[in-house]
Amino acid sequence: MNKNPHEESNSERRQELRNDEESFRLQQEERRLETSKRSATFTWIINSIYFLVGTLEILLMLRFLLRFFGANTKNAFAQFIYNLSDPFIRPFSTLFISPVFGGGVNIFDVNVLIAIIVYSLLGWLGVWVVRFIYAGQRTV
């Protein structure tokens, strides 16, 4: 009834290896979940920036088209678009003098086009900053 001392130490060692392996797998899974959560957050931020800038671009393009085609300023839809886009156009409103044609009704609003370009660049810069931050955290 003598037990081999090597058998006991081998079984203990095997158990230790199994525990270490399970611990390692658990750590890997926790890292994968954390990376996935961080990736989802940054993807949401980038998509939100694209959505907000895209919505603003559409609003400004509608304003440009309404002014270009000489929409009735007393129309409820035109007033809504003008009032909604006014805060975004205000910083650019006196930048250039916009050409007028068609008896002063049709306006080629250069300032709106400049605003569209500037807001597009700001959106691109915001996405670039988020990606830069994400790349810096990914290496950690």
Side-chain angles (χ1 to χ4, degrees), residues 78-97:
Q79 284 180 350
F80 174 72
I81 295 297
Y82 291 152
N83 290 336
L84 196 59
S85 62
D86 193 49
F88 300 105
I89 293 297
R90 195 167 290 133
F92 307 98
S93 63
T94 57
L95 194 59
F96 295 106
I97 297 174

Side-chain angles (χ1 to χ4, degrees), residues 102-139:
V105 176
N106 304 62
I107 302 169
F108 186 82
D109 201 345
V110 178
N111 300 322
V112 173
L113 296 177
I114 298 296
I116 289 171
I117 292 168
V118 168
Y119 288 123
S120 295
L121 289 173
L122 287 174
W124 174 81
L125 180 65
V127 168
W128 183 84
V129 166
V130 169
R131 286 187 176 158
F132 180 78
I133 291 169
Y134 173 69
Q137 287 186 354
R138 232 175 44 197
T139 58

Side-chain angles (χ1 to χ4, degrees), residues 10-119:
N10 281 343
S11 92
E12 289 173 7
R13 182 68 182 139
R14 278 189 213 126
Q15 187 61 32
E16 274 182 41
L17 287 174
R18 275 190 221 119
N19 289 341
D20 288 346
E21 188 176 317
E22 287 176 20
S23 175
F24 178 72
R25 286 183 184 163
L26 182 61
Q27 287 174 351
Q28 277 184 322
E29 186 64 19
E30 287 173 348
R31 270 190 243 120
R32 187 188 67 77
L33 287 172
E34 184 63 33
T35 302
S36 174
K37 197 183 319 178
R38 191 177 316 127
S39 177
T41 301
F42 282 105
T43 300
W44 181 84
I45 291 170
I46 287 173
N47 287 340
S48 297
I49 291 171
Y50 281 137
F51 176 77
L52 292 173
V53 171
T55 303
L56 180 59
E57 299 292 320
I58 291 170
L59 177 67
L60 294 178
M61 188 54 72
L62 279 172
R63 180 184 178 108
F64 175 80
L65 291 174
L66 288 173
R67 290 179 59 98
F68 184 74
F69 290 115
N72 181 4
T73 56
K74 305 237 186 274
N75 180 280
F77 178 73
Q79 284 180 350
F80 174 72
I81 295 297
Y82 291 152
N83 290 336
L84 196 59
S85 62
D86 193 49
F88 300 105
I89 293 297
R90 195 167 290 133
F92 307 98
S93 63
T94 57
L95 194 59
F96 295 106
I97 297 174
S98 297
V100 177
F101 58 95
V105 176
N106 304 62
I107 302 169
F108 186 82
D109 201 345
V110 178
N111 300 322
V112 173
L113 296 177
I114 298 296
I116 289 171
I117 292 168
V118 168
Y119 288 123

